[in-house]
Amino acid sequence: MNIKLVVVGKLKEKYFKQGIAEYAKRLSRFSKFEIVEVPDEKAPESLSDSEMAQVMAKEGERILSKIKDREYVYALAILGKERSSEEFAKEIKDLTTYGHSDITFVIGGSLGLAPEVLKRADTQISFGRFTLPHQLMRLVLTEQIYRAFMINEGSPYHK
């Protein structure tokens, strides 16, 4: 099984890197795990709607270039479907049971994901309506992926 995160921007904070590295190490017994960073599009603080669309489109092209046809894609989006950890674990288990061994999660830039990326996604997932820093979201997502494998293993980690 292969789990991939395609994310916009670089992770700078050492404490986030350390947390992600810890969960990535734990995940390695279940799956190959990789994070692919694509550059964020530099933009001024205040953008018009068309400038925002251009930034999202450029980031979207970079994201889509890192996704292969056979990959099952989760797009992280505020308007996506919320799941419990148990529901998410069952989804991951079902995907692998039905032949999806390449699962990709996409975290967009500060403006969100381009419509083309959302269209390519097989499903959208939301971690609630809170706005979280993208760097923190990487850590939360990596932990939840690890938690899903632990739930599927019947481990007490989840409790």
Side-chain angles (χ1 to χ4, degrees):
M1 163 167 253
N2 299 303
I3 302 274
K4 177 168 68 178
L5 271 56
V6 178
V7 298
V8 174
K10 289 233 174 284
L11 192 59
K12 297 172 187 79
E13 294 83 355
K14 198 167 119 183
Y15 51 93
F16 286 139
K17 286 182 182 177
Q18 290 170 330
I20 291 166
E22 175 61 29
Y23 288 112
K25 185 176 86 180
R26 293 180 188 189
L27 263 169
S28 67
R29 65 183 250 232
F30 301 108
S31 168
K32 182 176 178 257
F33 179 79
E34 69 173 317
I35 296 177
V36 177
E37 294 179 332
V38 300
D40 54 347
E41 189 64 22
K42 299 292 175 239
E45 283 296 312
S46 57
L47 295 172
S48 69
D49 288 349
S50 67
E51 287 170 326
M52 278 199 263
Q54 286 176 333
V55 167
M56 288 169 55
K58 286 179 184 169
E59 290 176 349
E61 287 171 18
R62 293 175 190 149
I63 291 167
L64 291 171
S65 74
K66 303 299 181 187
I67 299 172
K68 295 179 181 71
D69 288 345
R70 70 176 187 278
E71 295 172 11
Y72 188 91
V73 177
Y74 279 88
L76 273 71
I78 284 182
L79 298 177
K81 180 181 173 222
E82 291 184 42
R83 295 148 170 89
S84 68
S85 294
E86 294 86 356
E87 289 167 337
F88 181 57
K90 183 180 182 324
E91 256 182 61
I92 297 293
K93 185 189 217 171
D94 289 349
L95 285 170
T96 56
T97 301
Y98 297 109
H100 292 283
S101 59
D102 297 305
I103 302 173
T104 297
F105 295 86
V106 179
I107 302 175
S110 59
L111 299 176
L113 291 168
E116 296 79 13
V117 176
L118 294 173
K119 198 167 125 190
R120 166 58 184 92
D122 294 285
T123 189
Q124 293 181 29
I125 187 169
S126 173
F127 283 76
R129 292 177 53 204
F130 284 113
T131 299
L132 297 172
H134 293 79
Q135 300 87 337
L136 177 58
M137 200 61 241
R138 286 190 211 184
L139 176 59
V140 171
L141 175 60
T142 305
E143 189 280 336
Q144 283 298 303
I145 294 167
Y146 172 69
R147 181 177 297 272
F149 280 102
M150 295 305 284
I151 289 169
N152 289 337
E153 189 182 69
S155 163
Y157 171 83
H158 177 56
K159 300 297 174 209

